[in-house]
Amino acid sequence: MDEEVKNLKVQTRRKEKISKNKADWNWIIRITFIAFMISFAFSFTSEMIIPNVNVLVGILLVIVFILLGVLFDMIGVAVTAADEKPFHSMNARKVKGADIAVKFKKNADKVASFCNDVVGDICGVVSGSAGAIIALSLSDVIPLDKFIITLLVTSVIAAFTIGGKAIGKSYAMNKSNIILYQFAKTISYFYRIKK
């Protein structure tokens, strides 16, 4: 038993050395640029729409950002937790989306980084800043101090975001293959792998 543990540790160290030496700078630069563009688009949308609509529409937009963040966080977890074998079998039978699921699983670190870190985190930041705008609008209607209203709104947004992600992660761990397949199948309507 001790020998197996030692072998496992040696293999893990070798993989760590290889992965440290092979940093994919092209991917890092590309994902940084993509994050900037998505963040810019989401923030622009939030800053342009929320101050010009009533509070209820603003709250609905914040809920959409929270749900989008939770959904992509769930997808990122599912991709890393899914088992690749069933998708190879489905791909051999030409099941729609299975080829994309295999590609996502082979690139799980990049897919998870995009889903969790880019979309998920950007949605969290944008919903927080949108919440601050909503809090200012609410302070005109509710006879409370702006500081208290802002504190309450941002706390509620943080609580729903964290709670939603906790539920999503738990669900994604238990239903990872189904989530990955449904996501890959949806993507397959817009993207085809070149063969």
Side-chain angles (χ1 to χ4, degrees):
M1 188 69 174
D2 288 336
E3 190 64 35
E4 290 175 4
V5 172
K6 286 179 185 177
N7 287 338
L8 187 61
K9 287 180 180 178
V10 168
Q11 289 174 351
T12 303
R13 281 191 212 115
R14 284 183 192 150
K15 286 181 182 178
E16 286 174 353
K17 285 180 183 177
I18 291 169
S19 65
K20 284 179 184 175
N21 293 337
K22 291 179 67 178
D24 190 350
W25 287 104
N26 186 29
W27 163 252
I28 293 168
I29 292 167
R30 199 169 3 142
I31 199 67
T32 302
F33 178 74
I34 290 168
F36 174 80
M37 295 306 292
I38 292 173
S39 179
F40 186 86
F42 282 13
S43 295
F44 181 80
T45 303
S46 170
E47 296 292 327
M48 294 303 291
I49 293 175
I50 292 178
N52 301 315
V53 295
N54 69 33
V55 174
L56 288 176
V57 174
I59 291 170
L60 286 175
L61 282 172
V62 169
I63 291 170
V64 167
F65 280 124
I66 291 171
L67 292 176
L68 197 61
V70 169
L71 175 68
F72 273 87
D73 195 65
M74 194 168 68
I75 292 167
V77 170
V79 169
T80 56
D83 183 17
E84 192 174 330
K85 291 176 189 173
F87 298 109
H88 284 291
S89 173
M90 292 166 70
N91 193 21
R93 292 179 313 209
K94 307 287 186 207
V95 175
K96 186 170 184 66
D99 56 341
I100 294 174
V102 169
K103 185 171 183 174
F104 283 167
K105 185 59 190 168
K106 285 187 183 297
N107 294 287
D109 59 332
K110 293 177 182 177
V111 175
S113 178
F114 177 79
C115 291
N116 297 73
D117 301 331
V118 176
V119 179
D121 290 352
I122 288 171
C123 284
V125 170
V126 171
S127 63
S129 63
I133 296 168
I134 290 169
L136 290 175
S137 298
L138 285 173
S139 67
D140 294 337
V141 180
I142 300 171
L144 278 174
D145 185 50
K146 286 182 183 180
F147 175 75
I148 299 293
I149 294 172
T150 304
L151 194 63
L152 288 171
V153 169
T154 54
S155 298
V156 167
I157 290 170
F160 278 112
T161 301
I162 293 166
K165 286 186 176 188
I167 293 167
K169 280 183 170 85
S170 177
Y171 183 75
M173 292 297 291
N174 293 318
K175 304 286 185 183
S176 57
N177 286 356
I178 294 168
I179 293 168
L180 174 55
Y181 173 66
Q182 292 299 331
F183 180 59
K185 186 177 175 185
T186 303
I187 296 297
S188 72
Y189 290 109
F190 308 101
Y191 171 76
R192 299 221 186 279
I193 294 177
K194 294 175 186 174
K195 295 183 180 179

